[in-house]
Amino acid sequence: MKIQLSEHFTYSKLLRFVFPSIVMMIFTSIYGVVDGIFVSNYVGSTSFAAVNLIWPFVMATGAVGFMLGTGGSAIVAKTMGEGKEKRANEYFSMLIYVNAAAGILLSIIGFLFIRPITQLLGARETLLEEAALYGRILLLGNAAFMLQNSFQSFFPVAEKPQTGLLVTVAAGITNMVMDYLLIAVFQLGLIGAAAATVLSYFVGGILPIFYFAKKNPSRLKLVKTKFYGRELLKSCTNGSSEMMSNLSMSIVNMLYNLQLIKIAGENGVAAYGVIMYVNFIFVAVFIGYAIGSAPIIGFHYGSGNQAELKNLFKKSLVIILVGSVSMTGLAEISALPLSKIFVGYDEVLLEMTQHGFCIFSLSFLFSGFNIFSSAFFTALNNGAVSAAISFLRTLIFQIISVIVLPILFGIDGIWMAVVVAEILAMCIAAILLLKKRKTYHYL
C-alpha cells in the first residue's frame, strides 16, 4: 500500500516508508565496497591504497549533488506541504538541470588537476600514478554520480522510495558484475575497477532522468522551468550541512591518510581504507533513515502540523537509539570476519585492521543521533543549524582529534579520533535541539 507524506506515522508506517531509503544507502555502500574487495584481492595492496588515497577527492567533487539533493528536497517537500504542486515540480526540475551542469564543470576541473592534487595527498612513484589514473577515469562519470546523489533524496519526496531503491540496486548490480568481468576475468586492474564504477554511475544517475521526464505515477516530474535564484541559494544553504559532511569527510580522510603514511606507511592507508568501506555500510543505515524521514518532516513542517512533527521527532529518537546500540554490537562482533574479506592474505595488515575497527566502531553509538539531528534541521529548512552540527562533527572536531590524539596514543589515536569527535558533536546537537524546540515545536 502506498504511504503518503500527509499521513499520520506509527512506528510501523514510518519504518516501512524509510526502509527503501535505508536499503538504498546500504546497497550503495556495498557496491562501493565491492570495488575495494576486487582491487585488494586481485590487483594488490598498493593499488588498494591508491584507490583509498584518491577516493576522498572524488567524493568531494560529487558533494554538490548531495547538497542540491538534500537541501532541494526539503524545499520541494515544504512547497508540496503548502499545496503548491506545480511550483514544487519547477523547483525540482531547475535543481536537476543545475546539478547536471555543475557536474560537467567539476569533472573538467578535477580531470585537469588530478595529478598535482594526488601529489599533495602524499602519493609518490607507483602510488601516485595509480591514484591519478583511477581518479581521472572516475571523474568522467562525475556528473552522473552527482545526479545519482540528488535523486536518492528526491525519490522519497516523490513518494516513490521503492523506485529509488530499484534504481540503486540496478546500479549496484552493474558495478558488481562489471567489477568481476573487468578485474577478475579480463584482468584490467585499476582501469577495470574505475570503468565498472563509472558505468554504475550512469545507471544510477541517468535512468531517473528518463523516469521523471516522462509521464509517471509519482508526485514529481521534470518540466519546463525557469531559474529560481532564491530557491537555488536556499537549497545550497539548506543542504550545506550535507555538502559539508561530504567535503569534510573527504578532507579529514586525506588528513587521516597523511597521518597514517607517516606512522604506518601503505599498510596504514590500506587498513584505514578497509575500516572506511565497512564504516560506510554501517553509517548508511543512519543516513538512509535521515534521507527517508526528511521529506515527511519537511511536509508536515510546511503544512503546520505540529502534532505530527512531535510524533515524528520522538519516534525517530527511539529508532535511532535502538539502531545505534545494535550497529555498535554488530560491528564489534564482525570486525574480524569483515577485515578478512579484504586483507585476509596479509596477517600483519589483518591484525592492524581488526584492532583499528574495534576502536573505530564505538563511534556508531553516537553518529546516528548526530546524522539525524543535522538532517532534521535541514528538513525544517534551517540550513545554518544543520551546517553547524555537520561542520563541527565532520571537520573541526575530527581535525583536532586526528592531529592531537596520535601524539598521545600513536596509531590508536587515529582510530579513536572519530569516536571523540562524535561524542563532542552529540553534546552540541543535543544543546541545539533543546534550544530550538520552542521555535519549531517538536518537543
Side-chain angles (χ1 to χ4, degrees):
M1 180 188 294
K2 180 182 178 181
I3 302 175
Q4 297 181 329
L5 296 176
S6 56
E7 295 182 27
H8 168 70
F9 282 81
T10 60
Y11 278 109
S12 174
K13 191 175 291 185
L14 180 57
L15 288 171
R16 290 206 319 269
F17 188 86
V18 302
F19 181 73
S21 295
I22 293 174
V23 176
M24 178 175 66
M25 290 307 302
I26 292 174
F27 205 86
T28 299
S29 302
I30 288 175
Y31 80 71
V33 168
V34 171
D35 265 0
I37 293 173
F38 274 101
V39 171
S40 181
N41 287 280
Y42 285 93
V43 189
S45 59
T46 298
S47 295
F48 184 53
V51 169
N52 294 311
L53 191 72
I54 200 61
W55 180 251
F57 170 72
V58 177
M59 285 294 292
T61 63
V64 175
F66 284 104
M67 177 184 68
L68 293 176
T70 54
S73 63
I75 289 175
V76 172
K78 179 175 179 289
T79 305
M80 289 166 61
E82 294 168 345
K84 304 173 183 176
E85 295 280 340
K86 182 175 182 295
R87 183 58 58 89
N89 276 285
E90 290 177 355
Y91 291 164
F92 163 66
S93 301
M94 183 266 296
L95 291 166
I96 293 300
Y97 303 149
V98 169
N99 197 341
I104 294 170
L105 178 62
L106 288 172
S107 295
I108 294 171
I109 295 173
F111 192 89
L112 293 174
F113 293 98
I114 189 71
R115 188 176 179 83
I117 289 169
T118 306
Q119 290 175 317
L120 287 174
L121 296 177
R124 298 292 183 270
E125 300 176 352
T126 303
L127 189 62
L128 168 62
E129 298 301 328
E130 294 195 354
L133 173 64
Y134 185 77
R136 279 199 180 101
I137 298 173
L138 284 191
L139 285 167
L140 294 175
N142 192 57
F145 177 51
M146 287 172 55
L147 284 169
Q148 180 179 0
N149 293 335
S150 283
F151 282 125
Q152 286 175 345
S153 295
F154 280 117
F155 271 114
V157 180
E159 296 180 346
K160 289 293 180 180
Q162 295 87 352
T163 305
L165 174 59
L166 289 176
V167 171
T168 301
V169 169
I173 291 175
T174 299
N175 192 47
M176 294 176 189
V177 172
M178 295 310 296
D179 265 336
Y180 173 74
L181 290 175
L182 297 179
I183 300 174
V185 177
F186 296 111
Q187 299 184 354
L188 295 179
L190 277 182
I191 294 175
T197 301
V198 169
L199 288 172
S200 73
Y201 288 166
F202 279 98
V203 173
I206 304 303
L207 280 183
I209 292 179
F210 291 101
Y211 175 81
F212 286 112
K214 64 183 182 66
K215 186 177 181 180
N216 67 78
S218 81
R219 296 185 69 168
L220 292 179
K221 295 174 181 62
L222 286 171
V223 298
K224 185 177 180 180
T225 186
K226 62 181 181 179
F227 183 74
Y228 291 98
R230 182 175 177 275
E231 281 65 33
L232 177 60
L233 179 61
K234 181 68 174 175
S235 296
C236 292
T237 55
N238 198 33
S240 60
S241 60
E242 281 68 26
M243 181 177 180
M244 179 56 65
S245 293
N246 285 276
L247 283 176
S248 299
M249 182 176 66
S250 298
I251 293 169
V252 168
N253 284 354
M254 295 174 197
L255 181 58
Y256 271 75
N257 285 330
L258 284 171
Q259 289 282 69
L260 284 163
I261 284 177
K262 293 177 185 176
I263 297 173
E266 285 185 11
N267 269 3
V269 175
Y272 180 64
V274 174
I275 292 171
M276 290 311 296
Y277 277 127
V278 179
N279 169 66
F280 291 154
I281 298 175
F282 281 86
V283 173
V285 174
F286 303 126
I287 296 175
Y289 183 85
I291 290 174
S293 61
I296 312 171
I297 294 166
F299 184 93
H300 287 287
Y301 169 61
S303 65
N305 190 344
Q306 294 179 4
E308 188 60 21
L309 202 57
K310 290 179 181 179
N311 171 59
L312 290 166
F313 180 71
K314 291 177 181 178
K315 283 183 169 56
S316 293
L317 290 185
V318 173
I319 292 170
I320 291 296
L321 175 61
V322 173
S324 297
V325 175
S326 301
M327 289 295 102
T328 305
L330 181 61
E332 292 291 338
I333 294 172
S334 59
L336 179 58
L338 288 174
S339 299
K340 277 186 176 180
I341 293 174
F342 289 89
V343 293
Y345 56 83
D346 188 320
E347 194 65 34
V348 174
L349 184 53
L350 175 62
E351 183 180 353
M352 180 187 296
T353 304
Q354 180 197 2
H355 176 72
F357 187 62
C358 284
I359 298 173
F360 188 100
S361 61
L362 295 174
S363 64
F364 301 146
L365 284 171
F366 318 103
S367 60
F369 178 79
N370 296 331
I371 290 168
F372 172 74
S373 298
S374 179
F376 184 70
F377 282 110
T378 297
L380 295 175
N381 282 245
N382 192 330
V385 173
S386 178
I389 296 172
S390 181
F391 182 73
L392 292 170
R393 169 184 170 253
T394 59
L395 188 64
I396 301 301
F397 292 151
Q398 286 213 47
I399 286 178
I400 294 172
S401 298
V402 80
I403 291 175
V404 174
L405 293 181
I407 297 174
L408 302 174
F409 303 104
I411 193 170
D412 279 354
I414 295 180
W415 312 134
M416 292 165 56
V418 68
V419 183
V420 173
E422 294 288 4
I423 292 173
L424 294 173
M426 184 181 69
C427 296
I428 298 298
I431 292 171
L432 289 171
L433 283 168
L434 290 172
K435 185 177 180 181
K436 294 292 183 180
R437 68 189 187 280
K438 292 182 180 179
T439 302
Y440 298 104
H441 307 287
Y442 47 77
L443 274 178

